[in-house]
Amino acid sequence: MKAHLLSAADLTRDDALLVLDTAQELAQIADRPIKKLPTLRGRTVVNLFYEDSTRTRISFEAAAKRLSADVINFSAKGSSVSKGESLKDTALTLEAMGADAVVIRHSASGAPHRLATSGWIRGSVVNAGDGTHEHPTQALLDAYTIREHLAGGAGDLAGRRVTIVGDVLHSRVARSNVHLLHTLGAQVTLVAPPTLLPVGVEQWPCDVSYSIDAPLPQTDAVMMLRVQAERMDSAFFPSAREYSRRYGLDARRMAALPEHAIVMHPGPMNRGMEIGSDVADSERSVIVEQVTNGVSVRMAVLYLLLGGAPLVADEEESA
Amino acid sequence: MSTTVIRDVSINGERRDVVIAGESIAEVVASGSADTAGATVIEARSLIVLPGLVDLHTHLREPGREDAETVETGTRAAAAGGFTAVHAMANTDPVADTAGVVEQVWRLGAQAGYCDVHPVGAVTVGLAGQRLAELGAMADSAARVRVFSDDGKCVSDALLMRRALEYVKAFDGVIAQHSQEPRLTEDAQMNEGVMSGVLGLKGWPAVAEEAIIARDVLLTEHVDSRLHVCHVSTAGSVDLIRWAKSRGIRVTAEVTPHHLMLTDDLVATYDPVYKVNPPLRTAADVQALRAGLADGTIDVVATDHAPHPSEDKDCEWQAAAMGMLGLETALAVVAETMVVTGLLDWAGVADRMSIAPARIGRLEGQGRPIAPGEPANLVLIDPAARTVVTASALASRSRNTPYAGLDLPTRIVATFLRGRRTYGSDA
Ligand SMILES: [Zn+2]
């Protein structure tokens, strides 16, 4: 494992499988009465959140706490960050506090790279979502979820077909998933109106379609991306209604999926926009499971980056 | 009157002694034949001499951002880079949009004495793109402004651009356009292409530059005026300018050293030292720019020297200021990209970095032949030496060089401004 987790593109197949396998082991701990492991005792994990994202912050916080790490939440609201302190000065403060890992969410693409490579801090940096760049732990939890449902919870995702639909241009989830799912052997198809696909997407390791209906019958997992209705103000699409009609996943479209296919969404959802309420609440939807798996995957990432004590060394064996 | 003899120096491949007396070149004679009695002698057997370099595009930051650069530090950097004249861009605070401000900058340059400072006048009041600044008053001022630009912003209003082009004909002025269609580049962070898609940074399409150039050359033809295109950065722009020149349109163009050398894959580091306007483009664009400079489609190299204090670069990419230092490394980068590659010889470098920019800026004593009676504006270069760029050693007040640590060809030995050494160990 590397020193940082900045981009899903940095993960080799072995790296990714190690995270997924470790997460699986850790998930079993979650089923025990005592959910805590002593493995990161005495280590400090800072959640540095420049963007409001309660769900991601809580997920990382739960992950760190279950590994017995000390957690410091440093969020933009009500802190020096909102008073215009620079990323550099904040980083120097965290370094002085002895942060072993900094989990950063930032609206600027590449902010985690700057933190990791500028020499401001020595700890590990975990990208918890940067601008429109990447969200690697989301991709890992998505891969984990797909593997549990479609690959027997082991090995890679060779041959699985994943369709990702929505605002690819502005989506860090899509970028990370394309990299990681490709690394794990899945075939990815991106679906979006041409305005919401980045220039150069034809060079990404995936297929691209302007139509949602074409790939659905061959899809094992369909991932719906959040689409902000305000995008229509910049002429990315004419109206929320037209977007929903052409690219939304409703019950009729869900019926075109194969029997075994699952429906995913990274949240938060715009019900009625990219996904119908009946679809989100259907038995094919694994959206709630994605949240649960998020904690296990983030535990695995922190554990591997910080080189925690071996997982097997629990009560019985170390006694 | 002090006399300096530059002995056995190469002028376009021929060895000569160059005698400087006072402010002028007194003699250019066969090697070994100059009278050195009482003169300062520079042994220049391994050196070449070019007319002092002229920059059409420099940001000196004064008045307003003296924390980034002053006229004094900027012109010292210019002298260290071999320049004897720079054009100071108008996007200062206050904007150089009146005779008062351009005369202030001009005077500061004269006081510093490291190189001639020719203020560029703003095209529109406050660079706001709403109404014309008093171009005539700036032209008639002591600063004798001939180059007008809203650089940093594009004169995007077609009617205003047409009027500006027409109006400056009265005093042989030129409009230097920063070609950037504003709507296509809102919040743009880097070249739009494969890299911007992967990095999740908002793209800055080539067409945003090319669309303005296409419009402007047609306007220039229509009103028969003079257009100068600042910092051309795309292959498509080179094609458009080539086409315009073939029609006889009076357009000139510049390319920066960084666009001749650096490409957008450097942005993968997210290090804002590579953030610049216009953005670094692709390797194919770099090749087209080099070819365009070699065949004369692009007339000049201009630095777009843009100093920024460290806090404006030591941050997230999106929060960082755009621009990079250029004056002290320009010649080395041109040597690396154009001379070492065989695309230009040293006479070609003299043309693109001195003669042509002086002509476009209508400067009288710059970019002149190295001949008796001419003003002694000269730069002495060791073409075989190499120099490692060290940010902390730069004369500029700022440190935002993208070349730090690079080993580049040439070393500037001395710069002379009207006979006086402005750079060099015995200055
Ligand atoms: Zn400019």
Side-chain angles (χ1 to χ4, degrees):
Chain A
M1 196 73 184
K2 328 260 183 300
H4 310 287
L5 179 59
L6 304 177
S7 160
D10 297 339
L11 296 172
T12 64
R13 180 178 173 280
D14 286 350
D15 289 335
L17 289 178
L18 180 61
V19 175
L20 299 187
D21 293 345
T22 307
Q24 207 166 35
E25 275 184 72
L26 290 164
Q28 287 157 14
I29 292 161
D31 297 334
R32 295 188 201 164
I34 301 164
K35 294 182 179 181
K36 262 191 156 181
L37 268 177
T39 181
L40 293 184
R41 183 163 292 153
R43 316 294 291 276
T44 301
V45 174
V46 176
N47 284 322
L48 179 58
F49 274 57
Y50 285 82
E51 268 187 348
D52 261 345
S53 174
T54 310
R55 43 196 301 140
T56 305
R57 185 180 56 74
I58 287 176
S59 181
F60 270 105
E61 189 173 345
K65 283 184 171 164
R66 284 184 196 172
L67 295 170
S68 303
D70 296 324
V71 178
I72 299 172
N73 285 315
F74 212 94
S75 54
K77 277 208 182 103
S79 73
S80 53
V81 168
S82 60
K83 296 184 188 97
E85 184 178 79
S86 71
L87 179 62
K88 178 182 178 176
D89 288 330
T90 302
L92 296 176
T93 303
L94 301 182
E95 175 67 12
M97 287 161 65
D100 295 293
V102 178
V103 176
I104 178 174
R105 162 70 68 108
H106 203 292
S107 61
S109 298
H113 280 77
R114 291 292 283 156
L115 204 54
T117 60
S118 56
W120 301 330
I121 59 167
R122 280 170 296 177
S124 290
V125 175
V126 179
N127 181 358
D130 63 328
T132 55
H133 177 228
E134 285 217 35
H135 194 356
T137 59
Q138 177 71 43
L140 284 162
L141 77 88
D142 289 337
Y144 184 96
T145 307
I146 295 169
R147 190 170 84 153
E148 289 299 303
H149 279 271
L150 301 171
D156 65 15
L157 304 176
R160 300 301 180 280
R161 287 157 305 185
V162 181
T163 301
I164 302 175
V165 186
D167 184 357
V168 175
L169 179 64
H170 300 98
S171 175
R172 49 196 172 209
V173 175
R175 281 175 181 74
S176 286
N177 264 301
V178 167
H179 290 306
L180 184 71
L181 295 175
H182 171 73
T183 300
L184 289 172
Q187 283 172 256
V188 179
T189 302
L190 295 175
V191 175
T195 46
L196 290 177
L197 288 165
V199 165
V201 71
E202 65 284 351
Q203 295 196 30
W204 294 14
C206 60
D207 294 324
V208 174
S209 166
Y210 300 145
S211 151
I212 184 173
D213 293 307
L216 283 185
Q218 296 88 40
T219 292
D220 299 312
V222 60
M223 194 181 296
M224 304 307 296
L225 301 173
R226 178 179 169 80
V227 175
Q228 295 175 316
E230 310 86 77
R231 298 288 180 211
M232 69 189 181
D233 299 334
S234 304
F236 286 107
F237 48 84
S239 68
R241 191 175 60 177
E242 172 155 328
Y243 180 86
S244 175
R245 219 178 264 160
R246 290 180 63 86
Y247 293 97
L249 188 65
D250 56 12
R252 179 184 59 83
R253 286 201 168 112
M254 187 170 69
L257 287 166
E259 202 68 30
H260 63 272
I262 56 173
V263 174
M264 309 175 75
H265 194 298
M269 289 182 276
N270 286 314
R271 288 174 183 254
M273 177 76 173
E274 71 268 5
I275 190 165
S277 246
D278 43 353
V279 175
D281 298 332
S282 76
E283 61 208 23
R284 286 166 175 234
S285 160
V286 296
I287 296 167
V288 177
E289 236 175 278
Q290 287 174 271
V291 178
T292 311
N293 295 339
V295 178
S296 307
V297 159
R298 286 166 180 136
M299 284 174 80
V301 167
L302 291 173
Y303 170 79
L304 293 167
L305 285 178
L306 294 180
L311 288 178
V312 286
D314 56 10
E315 300 83 15
E316 304 97 86
E317 288 181 57
S318 60
Chain B
M1 192 159 67
S2 72
T3 307
T4 301
V5 178
I6 305 171
R7 198 149 68 172
D8 200 18
V9 73
S10 168
I11 304 175
N12 289 336
E14 295 178 6
R15 310 226 66 96
R16 293 286 186 271
D17 288 353
V18 176
V19 180
I20 301 171
E23 297 192 352
S24 305
I25 298 170
E27 292 180 67
V28 179
V29 294
S31 279
S33 60
D35 178 9
T36 58
T40 306
V41 177
I42 300 173
E43 294 297 346
R45 187 153 304 145
S46 59
L47 308 182
I48 60 175
V49 64
L50 302 184
L53 307 182
V54 176
D55 193 11
L56 267 177
H57 195 145
T58 312
H59 296 276
L60 292 178
R61 301 294 187 223
E62 190 176 1
R65 284 307 300 267
E66 291 82 355
D67 57 326
E69 195 82 284
T70 63
V71 171
E72 173 164 358
T73 59
T75 53
R76 278 186 55 199
F83 289 88
T84 51
V86 299
H87 288 76
M89 274 301 172
N91 63 339
T92 47
D93 182 16
V95 170
D97 59 1
T98 63
V101 179
V102 294
E103 286 187 346
Q104 182 199 350
V105 173
W106 177 75
R107 228 173 276 121
L108 286 168
Q111 279 162 17
Y114 289 102
C115 76
D116 290 345
V117 174
H118 297 280
V120 173
V123 176
T124 67
V125 174
L127 309 178
Q130 300 294 319
R131 54 204 177 84
L132 286 186
E134 290 185 349
L135 308 179
M138 291 187 273
D140 294 341
S141 75
R144 301 186 68 246
V145 176
R146 290 296 176 272
V147 182
F148 298 89
S149 181
D150 274 2
D151 182 62
K153 293 187 177 163
C154 180
V155 181
S156 60
D157 183 305
L159 181 69
L160 208 52
M161 185 62 182
R162 175 207 165 132
R163 296 280 188 251
L165 285 164
E166 284 180 304
Y167 194 78
V168 299
K169 288 167 70 176
F171 34 86
D172 195 23
V174 60
I175 303 296
Q177 174 74 296
H178 171 113
S179 310
Q180 179 187 352
E181 210 293 316
R183 282 282 282 156
L184 287 173
T185 51
E186 281 170 13
D187 303 322
Q189 297 291 318
M190 69 171 295
N191 179 48
E192 184 166 73
V194 176
M195 288 306 292
S196 63
V198 169
L199 296 174
L201 289 171
K202 197 156 180 219
W204 188 312
V207 63
E209 175 172 311
E210 294 154 4
I212 294 293
I213 294 175
R215 181 201 75 176
D216 285 351
V217 295
L218 295 173
L219 284 173
T220 302
E221 178 176 49
H222 183 59
V223 301
D224 188 27
S225 185
R226 278 211 294 147
L227 170 72
H228 178 72
V229 184
C230 294
H231 41 54
V232 169
S233 73
T234 77
S237 298
V238 178
D239 285 342
L240 285 164
I241 293 162
R242 194 176 279 124
W243 172 84
K245 285 188 166 182
S246 76
R247 279 172 70 95
I249 298 171
R250 293 195 291 155
V251 57
T252 55
E254 71 190 31
V255 62
T256 70
H258 45 275
H259 287 110
L260 290 172
M261 180 146 152
L262 308 176
T263 51
D264 68 349
D265 47 335
L266 291 164
V267 182
T269 61
Y270 289 103
D271 185 341
V273 78
Y274 301 116
K275 184 173 179 181
V276 65
N277 175 353
L280 301 179
R281 304 287 187 182
T282 67
D285 293 306
V286 166
Q287 291 311 317
L289 292 168
R290 290 181 184 184
L293 184 64
D295 72 17
T297 301
I298 297 173
D299 303 79
V300 307
V301 174
T303 67
D304 198 4
H305 178 81
H308 290 289
S310 63
E311 62 269 24
D312 289 346
K313 287 290 190 180
D314 225 1
C315 57
E316 308 87 295
W317 180 276
Q318 214 169 292
M322 290 183 271
M324 36 180 76
L325 299 183
L327 285 169
E328 293 172 76
T329 46
L331 186 80
V333 172
V334 170
E336 174 82 358
T337 57
M338 301 299 295
V339 180
V340 171
T341 52
L343 291 166
L344 275 186
D345 57 13
W346 286 108
V349 173
D351 178 72
R352 305 301 193 273
M353 296 187 78
S354 177
I355 299 164
R359 185 174 61 234
I360 293 164
R362 300 293 192 250
L363 305 186
E364 272 157 19
Q366 300 283 350
R368 301 292 305 161
I370 299 172
E374 295 289 350
N377 295 321
L378 301 170
V379 55
L380 207 51
I381 300 160
D382 183 345
R386 298 190 70 84
T387 307
V388 177
V389 181
T390 309
S392 60
L394 296 174
S396 171
R397 177 162 286 186
S398 291
R399 295 288 169 260
N400 53 306
T401 174
Y403 311 109
L406 291 188
D407 181 13
L408 295 173
T410 71
R411 182 174 69 86
I412 292 173
V413 175
T415 308
F416 294 87
L417 177 64
R418 284 183 290 281
R420 194 167 47 81
R421 251 205 245 199
T422 51
Y423 177 77
S425 49
D426 298 329

